[in-house]
Amino acid sequence: MSVRKVNSVWNGTLKEGKGNMNITGYSGPFTFASRFEEGKGTNPEELVGAAHSGCYSMFLAALISGEGLTPESVETEAAVTLGQLDGGPAITNIKLTNVTKCEGLSQEKFDELAAAAKAKCPISRLYAGGTAEIELDAKLA
């Protein structure tokens, strides 16, 4: 398996400082306001959501493909909640909302595969047993 590396730099104090997260092909500025308020820029939780939605979509597509079917599309949104836990900020919930289009896939089989993808995609496994509850709302279109 592969090892992926990213780099982040923060300059200054928590509230007045600013940072940049550097990922292959992407460089995203972030600030206190973009993380804890509604300021411009990205934040670590947004990137967690992007990783989780991408991981889930790929894993579900792999499971569907394993059934001899070809999904037309697997679209997943991740809503990541940053809350409080033990006096500090923590990711407390990740809600995956998925719509999959796949001709020939029954609702029963889809439900089975959607649940398996939620349980077994690497990002879900990263959070298993942690502080974040992972919810799934999956629909076969």
Side-chain angles (χ1 to χ4, degrees):
M1 299 307 270
S2 61
V3 174
R4 303 290 185 211
K5 294 182 181 181
V6 299
N7 170 272
S8 297
V9 176
W10 185 264
N11 300 106
T13 66
L14 175 63
K15 287 194 174 184
E16 289 80 30
K18 61 184 175 183
N20 212 56
M21 291 181 271
N22 302 295
I23 303 163
T24 304
Y26 173 78
S27 183
F30 66 112
T31 64
F32 181 88
S34 70
R35 186 166 192 197
F36 298 108
E37 299 167 357
E38 295 299 322
K40 290 183 181 180
T42 190
N43 56 66
E45 292 73 30
E46 209 171 58
L47 298 177
V48 165
H52 204 170
S53 65
C55 182
Y56 178 84
S57 292
M58 290 180 74
F59 205 95
L60 182 54
L63 294 176
I64 293 169
S65 299
E67 296 293 318
L69 300 168
T70 301
E72 179 183 329
S73 64
V74 179
E75 182 177 341
T76 307
E77 174 185 276
V80 179
T81 302
L82 182 64
Q84 289 284 323
L85 185 67
D86 298 328
I91 293 174
T92 56
N93 184 276
I94 301 172
K95 182 174 182 181
L96 300 173
T97 302
N98 168 269
V99 176
T100 295
K101 293 180 184 176
C102 183
E103 191 172 319
L105 182 59
S106 72
Q107 185 67 53
E108 181 181 12
K109 180 52 84 171
F110 172 73
D111 291 344
E112 174 190 322
L113 298 177
K118 175 187 172 249
K120 294 182 180 179
C121 94
I123 302 298
S124 288
R125 287 180 181 213
L126 177 66
Y127 287 102
T131 61
E133 176 186 355
I134 300 172
E135 298 176 48
L136 174 63
D137 178 14
K139 292 180 178 57
L140 180 61

